[in-house]
Amino acid sequence: MVLVTGFEPFGGDSFNPSGEIALALDGLQLAGQPVRGLVLPCVFGQSLVALRRALRRNRPALVICLGLAGGRNCFSLERVAINVNDARIPDNAGASPVDEAIVSKGPVGYWSTLPIKAIRAAWEEAGFAAEISQTAGTFVCNHVFYGLMRSLARSGGRGGFVHVPPASEGMGLDRMVRAVEMAIEVSFSISQDLRVSGGALS
Ligand code: PCA
């Protein structure tokens, strides 16, 4: 099965497209796989408790976690999760950890195991603006991404994290749902990612 997660609204917003996309995909069948959609709390710790419970129950072959990146204008395929919580704003339980490890003595980072270059190529061909992102930030999205990849490293299964832009006139919820469906289809249709640059100059 495929697990897709998104988040509840945070930071004073009343809407988070990532959670709505997960709900829209819940119950569908894609690439021959049942899809389960789940909305995670935007809370350090609790978000990972909910994710791990879903991983244990469902043993997904593929997991795509989604979050909103308010300041970005296209889909961002995250390359790497890093072992730090450093919150610029409080999470939905009021916590603002600074410079804390997610897992003490855990590795510095984990790579996404999604075929991020192939997904970007498929998206661009279909007219979705997309980029490879070198950081998922240090807030709850990166926290969930790190916990996800640590769990998958043990249990097996592929996964990663995608930041979505705010919904807009040209990019409504329907198009976003279609983009995530495509990411799922591409992930099952290839075994090796494309070898093209997704790098950035600093
Ligand atoms: N975006 C936040 C957390 C929840 C969400 O949707 C982030 O980028 O960390």
Side-chain angles (χ1 to χ4, degrees):
M1 65 87 68
V2 179
L3 178 66
V4 178
T5 73
F7 282 99
E8 64 183 5
F10 68 100
D13 278 357
S14 55
F15 184 76
N16 189 332
S18 68
E20 302 300 322
I21 297 166
L23 292 178
L25 290 168
D26 186 48
L28 297 189
Q29 185 95 6
L30 291 170
Q33 303 267 336
V35 180
R36 169 96 213 282
L38 182 68
V39 179
L40 301 175
C42 186
V43 177
F44 288 103
Q46 277 179 35
S47 50
L48 272 182
V49 171
L51 175 69
R52 290 194 191 110
R53 191 185 312 126
L55 294 175
R56 264 198 317 275
R57 284 200 185 143
N58 299 292
R59 300 248 153 234
L62 179 74
V63 186
I64 300 185
C65 293
L66 305 169
L68 170 65
R72 298 188 190 172
N73 58 8
C74 67
F75 286 87
S76 306
L77 290 144
E78 299 298 344
R79 188 196 292 266
V80 60
I82 59 175
N83 189 10
V84 66
N85 295 325
D86 193 339
R88 193 162 43 81
I89 58 170
D91 71 10
N92 284 359
S96 323
V98 170
D99 292 347
E100 280 178 10
I102 299 170
V103 176
S104 72
K105 306 216 174 72
V108 169
Y110 286 100
W111 303 114
S112 172
T113 51
L114 296 176
I116 54 176
K117 310 284 180 67
I119 294 170
R120 181 185 60 175
W123 277 348
E124 284 180 343
E125 200 171 308
F128 292 106
E131 65 178 8
I132 305 300
S133 161
Q134 321 300 336
T135 174
T138 54
F139 193 48
V140 184
C141 286
N142 173 72
H143 179 78
V144 160
F145 184 18
Y146 187 93
L148 168 70
M149 299 319 302
R150 186 171 174 83
S151 291
L152 293 181
R154 292 169 177 192
S155 66
R158 287 180 298 164
F161 199 97
V162 176
H163 267 113
V164 305
S168 63
E169 214 147 280
M171 180 56 71
L173 208 56
D174 287 4
R175 296 226 341 124
M176 292 198 192
V177 170
R178 180 61 203 130
V180 177
E181 287 177 1
M182 281 184 66
I184 294 169
E185 283 153 7
V186 170
S187 298
F188 280 107
S189 70
I190 63 162
S191 52
Q192 275 237 300
D193 199 3
L194 300 179
R195 202 171 168 85
V196 292
S197 178
L201 300 177
S202 61

